[in-house]
Each structure stands twice: as structure tokens, then as C-alpha cells.
């Protein structure tokens, strides 16, 4: 089979292809033969041939798909190659569309689905904002269980969007994930979305080459990458350019994540080699210099704009006792940013601290939000899952922030300072001693907390708190417990779910997340109250209470079965667990 090297006539070819005639779908017939263009190695555009087998009618309600068999030595034993998404195909020199879909079920025969060029061009005209990515059944809850639930929901949503196909036998050609500085374990969160990660140390030849116009322009069939993370470490998805029309660039021929209007970076890419595989053959590629930004992520194509600069979120991770910093940039998107933050944090922690085994992480971090208070995180995480637990919590926080119900939360930057120890720092609350069982109003209460550390050694902590100023004879309760137990108790005491309706209340709720390294002493009484926008209101006048209770279905308030009189916290130099509850009383006047 004859193959044509097009490198020598690169600039001339770019002009010719940009002005290529269009062949509409109605003109394409079974049996027609044509030529496709892609890069199998380096930046040299090469050709392959194809034969139209038929037209798949109503691939989706208003779209058809051209089915063709491809012919090239590189495709003979590998089937359609991941990274070929977007490769332009021509009949008689007229552009008919791009190679975008391949056969599923480990097929080695290069049967491809070709997205018609008419549908590809329409993607640039798609109106409207970004697609709605709200995940149902998510509640404001920062427990480990709910954070994991959020994590799995995000992963499932991304996978479903990336791999969606209306036809069972055809699926979008997977994009190849190339990276630098990421471990396979850290990016396993995206397993099933891209071709399995191949981390490479590929030299940046761009640094030593003379700058030229070709570095900042694109031709049909060029390899391109969309970096989701870039900086000291990078993570990109690679595909092929279908068509260039002035500053507009059309790539992939299928969705990236089908997110609608987006703002992602667009870079040139270099193909290192083609790797055959029974499961999914792919192009081994490296991300090169930026050329623009992706503006549309639609079902039939991804559209970019040359010269546009995307908005990225700076993320700095400083590992204090390693004196090591990771400076990264993440794409800004309500669904992707939380996942990418998780990947970046896990990777940094696994890189410098013990990858497998026990560890403790002391974390101090801030998330800066435009026009709002900062989100502040200060806590300790310990155990074999410390890195994952911390990273999952931050992922959940970012999800809640970026999908709040009031307005777009623009994250300006994220800074984290982390100190790690390859040792467990845990403690168990064994017992609590209270000096009395009845007190005068406002009388000091002497509390001694008996604990046992991870090595079995006993130690105690003493604290003095104040008895509540209640009526004589009143019963009150004292609970001494870890953060998770107190949060679980509060959740059960609130009779309906609470989701802050405004961003400020949400940030306040996040900043009030209880800490792992604290024991909480909560004094409460049974009392009907109302929880409104993050605050408890109890002992309200009946007229006010009735009005508020009448509105108890509002999403920013909930009924409460208990009322918190006071809450104290005591820092313990470990991740603490345990719970003790005491029933106490305010002394009668006759006993005074």
C-alpha cells in the first residue's frame, strides 16, 4: 500500500486542507473509497485508505454514522488505534468527516465509525452554557462515607460521559492518556475513561528548536492534546485534528466528556510510536507547546480556538518536612476539577511519603474563592488510607463548592502545606470521668478523658467547662466524642436534609467541619428547634417557632429534635475515636 510523506509540504498542505471541499453525507455511498490522514510517528502526516461499508441511520435521533474499513500497515494487526480520534478522511479530495468510533469487544479488524463533517461543523454553533453535571442524591455531609460516595458518583459520571455510544457494537475511540510525573496508582481514579496511562520521560525538544510559526499553528491530521493538569506534573488526553477553519479547530469527532461550553487548554502533541494491543491499540504520544483553548465539548466534535488562553486553577502542594513543592495548574470545571485535585494530592503524597503502609499527615490548606471567604482546612489524618482520606475530602469539598445552588464559584487558587510521618498517630477514648452528676447553673465542670494511644499506652487529658445556665431541675446531656460521632449524632438529630442555598453558608459549613484530632464536648438538651442556614435556633417564642416550622420543607432549614447549649473542643496529638454520653442535672434550689 502506497504511503505518502507530507512533512516537506507542511505549510502548503495546511492551506489546502483548511480550504478543503466538503462532501455531504447524502453524497456518500457504500463502496466508495477514499484516503485518510493521521500521524503514526513524530509530526509527519501519513495516509491510509478506506472503503465505505454503509451508513448507520439514526446513530442518534438526528445523526447518522458512516461505517468504513481502514487499510494501512499500522492498522493491520491493531484495529483502529486510540489517538486516531479526529483523523480526517476524504473522497476525491473532499472532506467527508473524521474517524471517531471503533468496534468494541477486542476487535483487531480496523472497522471505524466516521462522524460526518456536517455534524462536526455544527458543534461550533452549539448555544448554551456548560452541561448540567449535578449528581442526584448528594447531600452536604463530610463524613468518610459520603466523601467516598461523592467520589464514586463523580467517577461514574465521567466514565459514562466519555464512553457513551448509542450503538452497542461501536464505541468512541479512546483518547490516549499521556503523563509526566504521575504514578499509575494516583490516576487509577480515571481507569476506564482513557487508554491505560503510559508515563513517559520524553525530552522537550521544543526548548532547543528555533521558534517557528508551525509551533503555534495546526493542520488537519496533526496530533493534539488537552492537558487536564499541567506544571511540575502533567496529565493529557491526545487525539487528532479533523479540520481547521481560520482560528477554529475541530478535533476528535466525538465528545471529550460531552460537557458543552468549556475552557480547556489545547496543546500540540508528538506521536512517539504506535503500540498494538488486543485490548486497545494506541498511539504513544507526548504533549508539547500550547496553541489555544478548547471552547466546545459536544457529541459530534470538540472545538478549539487558536491563540485563546484558558483559565486554569493554580494548585501548590508544599511537603514541609521534605522541603518539596509541586506547582500545578488544573482545568476549571465543576466535575473535572474535584477529580483532578484528588489525583494531584494523592500523587504528591505517594511520591514523597511511604506509598504503602502506615502514615500520618498534618494538613494546613486554603482554597481561595473569588469574592468569598477562603475555605480553610486544618487537620490530621492517620492510617494506611490517610492520603486517600484527605484527598477524597478535598475532592468532595470542591464538588460542593463548584456545584453550589447560588452562583458560579470561581476558585482562584489552592494552597496546601502538608507534614507527613511514616507512623500511626491514633488514640482511643477509653473512659470519661465527670466530677459530679448535678451542678449549679454556670458552675465549673471538671472533666477527665482517659485515652489509649496506638501502642497501647494510657494517657489522660483534663478540661474545665461550664455547666449550662438552665432552670433548676433541668436535665441536660454531655457527650464527649470524636468528630465523626458528633457529626453523625447531629445528622440524626436534624429531621430533614440540609443543603445551604447560598455559597457563603456553604463555605461556613465547610470551615466548621469537625477535625479528626479533636475531642468534642457537646452539651445539649431535648428541645424542638430549627436549623436555618447553618445556625441552630431553639427556645423560640411559639409565634416565631410556628412560622419557621411551617416553612420546614425549605432546603436551607430543617427541624431539630435537640438543642445544643454549648460545644467545646480539645486538641489531641492524634486521630482520636470514641464516644461517651452522660445524663446530668441542674440542682434544685432547695439543695443549694
Amino acid at each position: 500500500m502506497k504511503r505518502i510523506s507530507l512533512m516537506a509540504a507542511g505549510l502548503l498542505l495546511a492551506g489546502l486542507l483548511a480550504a478543503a471541499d466538503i462532501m455531504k453525507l447524502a453524497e456518500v455511498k457504500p463502496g466508495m473509497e477514499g484516503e485518510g490522514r493521521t500521524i503514526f510517528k513524530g509530526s509527519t502526516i501519513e495516509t491510509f485508505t478506506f472503503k465505505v461499508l454503509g451508513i448507520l441511520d439514526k446513530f442518534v435521533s438526528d445523526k447518522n454514522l458512516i461505517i468504513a474499513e481502514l487499510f494501512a500497515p499500522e492498522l493491520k494487526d491493531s484495529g483502529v488505534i486510540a489517538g486516531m480520534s479526529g483523523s480526517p478522511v476524504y473522497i476525491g479530495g473532499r472532506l467527508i468527516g473524521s474517524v471517531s468510533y471503533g468496534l468494541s469487544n477486542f476487535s483487531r479488524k480496523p472497522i471505524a465509525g466516521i462522524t460526518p463533517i456536517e455534524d462536526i461543523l455544527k458543534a461550533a454553533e452549539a448555544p448554551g452554557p456548560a452541561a448540567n453535571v449535578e449528581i442526584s442524591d448528594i447531600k452536604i455531609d463530610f463524613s468518610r462515607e459520603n466523601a467516598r460516595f461523592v467520589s464514586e458518583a463523580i467517577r461514574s459520571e465521567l466514565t459514562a460521559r466519555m464512553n457513551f455510544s448509542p450503538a452497542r457494537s461501536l464505541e468512541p475511540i479512546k483518547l490516549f492518556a499521556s503523563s509526566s510525573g504521575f504514578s499509575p496508582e494516583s490516576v487509577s481514579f480515571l481507569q476506564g475513561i482513557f487508554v491505560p496511562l503510559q508515563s513517559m520521560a520524553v525530552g522537550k525538544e521544543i526548548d532547543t528548536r528555533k521558534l517557528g510559526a508551525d509551533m503555534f499553528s495546526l493542520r488537519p491530521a496533526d496530533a493534539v492534546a488537552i492537558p487536564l493538569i499541567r506544571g511540575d506534573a502533567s496529565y493529557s488526553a491526545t487525539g487528532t485534528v479533523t479540520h481547521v477553519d481560520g482560528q477554529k479547530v475541530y478535533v476528535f469527532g466525538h465528545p471529550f466528556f460531552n460537557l458543552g461550553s468549556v475552557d480547556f487548554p489545547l496543546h500540540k502533541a508528538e506521536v512517539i510510536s504506535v503500540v498494538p494491543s488486543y485490548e486497545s491499540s494506541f498511539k504513544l504520544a507526548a504533549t508539547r507547546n500550547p496553541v489555544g483553548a478548547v471552547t466546545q465539548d459536544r457529541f459530534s466534535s470538540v472545538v478549539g480556538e487558536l491563540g485563546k488562553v484558558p483559565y486554569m486553577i493554580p494548585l501548590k502542594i508544599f511537603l514541609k518536612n521534605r522541603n518539596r513543592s509541586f506547582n500545578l495548574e488544573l482545568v476549571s470545571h465543576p466535575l473535572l476539577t474535584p477529580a483532578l485535585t484528588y489525583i494531584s494530592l494523592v500523587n504528591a503524597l505517594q511520591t514523597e511519603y511511604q506509598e504503602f503502609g502506615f502514615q500520618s499527615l498534618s494538613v494546613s490548606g486554603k482554597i481561595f474563592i473569588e469574592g468569598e471567604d477562603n475555605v480553610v482546612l486544618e487537620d490530621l489524618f492517620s492510617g494506611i488510607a490517610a492520603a486517600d482520606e484527605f484527598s477524597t475530602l478535598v475532592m468532595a469539598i470542591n464538588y460542593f463548592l463548584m456545584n453550589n445552588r447560588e452562583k458560579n464559584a470561581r476558585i482562584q487558587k489552592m494552597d496546601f502545606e502538608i507534614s507527613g510521618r511514616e507512623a500511626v498517630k491514633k488514640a482511643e477514648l477509653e473512659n470519661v470521668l465527670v466530677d459530679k452528676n448535678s451542678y449549679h447553673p454556670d458552675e465549673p465542670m471538671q472533666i477527665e478523658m482517659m485515652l489509649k494511644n496506638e501502642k497501647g499506652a494510657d494517657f489522660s487529658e483534663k478540661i474545665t467547662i461550664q455547666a449550662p445556665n438552665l432552670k433548676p431541675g433541668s436535665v441536660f446531656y454531655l457527650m464527649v466524642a470524636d468528630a465523626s460521632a458528633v457529626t453523625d449524632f447531629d445528622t440524626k438529630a436534624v429531621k430533614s436534609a440540609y443543603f445551604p442555598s447560598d455559597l457563603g453558608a456553604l463555605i461556613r459549613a465547610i470551615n466548621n467541619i469537625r477535625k479528626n484530632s479533636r475531642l468534642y464536648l457537646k452539651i445539649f438538651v431535648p428541645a424542638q428547634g430549627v436549623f436555618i442556614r447553618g445556625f441552630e435556633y431553639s427556645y423560640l417564642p411559639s409565634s416565631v417557632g410556628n412560622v419557621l416550622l411551617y416553612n420546614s420543607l425549605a432546603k436551607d432549614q430543617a427541624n431539630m429534635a435537640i438543642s445544643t447549649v454549648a460545644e467545646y473542643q480539645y486538641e489531641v496529638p492524634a486521630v482520636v475515636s470514641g464516644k461517651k454520653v452522660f445524663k446530668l442535672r441542674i440542682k434544685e434550689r432547695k439543695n443549694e
Side-chain angles (χ1 to χ4, degrees):
M1 182 177 300
K2 186 177 180 181
R3 293 164 51 193
I4 306 171
S5 175
L6 304 172
M7 174 67 82
L11 293 177
L12 176 61
L13 178 63
L16 291 174
L17 293 183
D21 289 335
I22 302 301
M23 178 179 283
K24 294 185 177 181
L25 179 63
E27 301 176 68
V28 179
K29 306 297 180 185
M32 283 185 166
E33 297 182 357
E35 180 181 87
R37 297 184 173 98
T38 197
I39 293 177
F40 291 117
K41 188 172 183 179
S43 56
T44 302
I45 296 174
E46 297 177 287
T47 65
F48 58 90
T49 59
F50 69 91
K51 181 177 181 179
V52 176
L53 302 179
I55 308 296
L56 181 59
D57 291 326
K58 302 297 181 184
F59 180 56
V60 292
S61 59
D62 61 342
K63 293 177 176 63
N64 299 328
L65 196 68
I66 302 166
I67 307 299
E69 184 172 359
L70 313 184
F71 303 95
E74 290 84 357
L75 305 177
K76 184 177 179 181
D77 296 320
S78 62
V80 180
I81 298 170
M84 284 188 72
S85 293
S87 298
V89 287
Y90 306 82
I91 293 178
R94 300 168 67 191
L95 180 62
I96 71 167
S98 72
V99 174
S100 307
Y101 292 80
L103 289 176
S104 54
N105 301 323
F106 304 94
S107 173
R108 293 175 58 194
K109 194 169 185 179
I111 303 297
I114 296 173
T115 302
I117 186 59
E118 297 138 289
D119 291 334
I120 291 173
L121 296 177
K122 288 177 184 176
E125 305 167 3
N132 184 355
V133 296
E134 182 178 355
I135 302 171
S136 62
D137 299 326
I138 297 291
K139 60 181 179 178
I140 289 292
D141 180 353
F142 300 100
S143 65
R144 295 185 186 94
E145 293 73 18
N146 199 55
R148 283 194 292 266
F149 177 77
V150 172
S151 170
E152 288 305 315
I154 292 173
R155 188 207 307 262
S156 298
E157 183 75 5
L158 288 173
T159 302
R161 285 176 174 273
M162 182 68 200
N163 296 323
F164 171 74
S165 173
R168 283 186 180 179
S169 58
L170 289 168
E171 60 183 20
I173 300 171
K174 284 186 180 292
L175 302 173
F176 173 73
S178 60
S179 85
S180 173
F182 278 97
S183 68
E185 291 81 11
S186 63
V187 294
S188 62
F189 183 86
L190 296 178
Q191 185 176 359
I193 297 177
F194 302 115
V195 168
L197 174 80
Q198 301 293 326
S199 186
M200 303 171 296
V202 181
K204 295 184 178 180
E205 295 177 9
I206 179 177
D207 293 338
T208 58
R209 293 202 308 261
K210 183 178 179 180
L211 292 178
D214 62 315
M215 293 176 58
F216 303 100
S217 62
L218 290 173
R219 306 165 296 174
D222 270 342
V224 289
I226 300 176
L228 299 176
I229 304 171
R230 65 187 186 185
D232 290 342
S234 63
Y235 188 83
S236 305
T238 302
T240 304
V241 175
T242 301
H243 182 58
V244 180
D245 181 9
Q247 296 299 104
K248 282 192 172 62
V249 181
Y250 300 83
V251 303
F252 298 172
H254 62 63
F256 187 23
F257 290 106
N258 202 17
L259 296 171
S261 296
V262 294
D263 189 20
F264 300 159
L266 182 65
H267 286 225
K268 296 198 77 163
E270 181 178 350
V271 178
I272 309 303
S273 180
V274 171
V275 181
S277 168
Y278 283 101
E279 181 179 4
S280 182
S281 300
F282 55 88
K283 292 181 179 181
L284 199 62
T287 301
R288 295 308 188 195
N289 57 290
V291 292
V294 173
T295 58
Q296 295 290 335
D297 176 16
R298 302 290 175 176
F299 181 81
S300 296
S301 185
V302 172
V303 185
E305 182 180 332
L306 293 174
K308 189 175 186 295
V309 179
Y311 178 78
M312 302 288 284
I313 301 173
L315 168 62
K316 181 178 181 178
I317 306 168
F318 178 59
L319 305 181
K320 189 174 181 180
N321 54 335
R322 294 292 199 272
N323 195 29
R324 172 80 185 276
S325 290
F326 292 81
N327 292 287
L328 307 170
E329 290 183 321
L330 315 182
V331 298
S332 179
H333 188 273
L335 193 60
L336 284 171
T337 302
L340 300 176
T341 306
Y342 169 86
I343 291 169
S344 301
L345 289 169
V346 166
N347 185 68
L349 295 170
Q350 287 182 343
T351 298
E352 291 299 312
Y353 297 131
Q354 187 174 343
E355 185 169 352
F356 301 102
F358 297 102
Q359 57 184 326
S360 297
L361 303 173
S362 178
V363 176
S364 174
K366 287 184 179 180
I367 300 174
F368 297 81
I369 303 168
E370 187 175 81
E372 302 289 341
D373 291 337
N374 299 330
V375 169
V376 180
L377 296 172
E378 304 276 353
D379 208 349
L380 178 68
F381 300 83
S382 189
I384 57 174
D388 183 75
E389 182 184 336
F390 160 61
S391 304
T392 302
L393 174 62
V394 178
M395 173 168 53
I397 288 171
N398 277 343
Y399 174 80
F400 290 136
L401 287 172
M402 300 188 79
N403 292 280
N404 76 89
R405 297 173 179 176
E406 182 190 16
K407 58 185 176 181
N408 176 44
R410 187 180 176 93
I411 296 178
Q412 296 174 309
K413 65 177 181 176
M414 294 180 278
D415 290 343
F416 293 96
E417 183 176 290
I418 304 170
S419 296
R421 296 182 59 184
E422 294 178 359
V424 174
K425 295 294 293 181
K426 290 192 174 183
E428 179 74 24
L429 181 64
E430 295 279 295
N431 198 10
V432 176
L433 301 179
V434 182
D435 61 339
K436 301 178 184 179
N437 58 18
S438 61
Y439 297 87
H440 293 292
D442 295 328
E443 180 182 353
M445 300 171 59
Q446 305 297 325
I447 312 296
E448 183 175 7
M449 299 167 288
M450 319 296 292
L451 300 104
K452 188 184 294 291
N453 68 16
E454 70 281 351
K455 295 182 180 180
D458 295 323
F459 67 102
S460 63
E461 305 284 352
K462 294 181 179 180
I463 187 173
T464 300
I465 62 176
Q466 197 171 36
N469 188 2
L470 301 175
K471 293 180 180 180
S474 298
V475 171
F476 68 96
Y477 295 85
L478 169 66
M479 177 167 63
V480 181
D482 63 78
S484 178
V486 178
T487 300
D488 184 61
F489 174 82
D490 284 350
T491 300
K492 291 177 180 177
V494 179
K495 293 184 177 179
S496 61
Y498 165 66
F499 197 113
S501 60
D502 64 80
L503 181 56
L506 175 59
I507 291 173
R508 185 167 60 249
I510 294 171
N511 285 336
N512 287 331
I513 295 174
R514 294 185 175 91
K515 305 182 192 311
N516 297 323
S517 58
R518 302 286 193 277
L519 275 171
Y520 290 87
L521 295 88
K522 184 182 185 74
I523 295 176
F524 63 92
V525 295
Q528 189 177 53
V530 183
F531 189 72
I532 304 175
R533 298 165 68 90
F535 294 98
E536 288 185 22
Y537 295 90
S538 56
Y539 298 106
L540 295 169
S542 59
S543 57
V544 177
N546 289 336
V547 171
L548 293 175
L549 292 172
Y550 180 76
N551 193 37
S552 61
L553 295 179
K555 293 182 179 180
D556 60 356
Q557 74 176 59
N559 298 340
M560 298 195 69
I562 63 100
S563 176
T564 301
V565 178
E567 183 172 303
Y568 304 85
Q569 56 179 290
Y570 189 87
E571 185 172 3
V572 179
V575 172
V576 65
S577 61
K579 174 183 172 182
K580 300 292 179 182
V581 180
F582 299 87
K583 184 178 180 180
L584 305 172
R585 185 180 298 275
I586 296 297
K587 289 183 177 179
E588 298 280 359
R589 293 185 186 277
K590 63 182 180 180
N591 293 332
E592 296 181 0

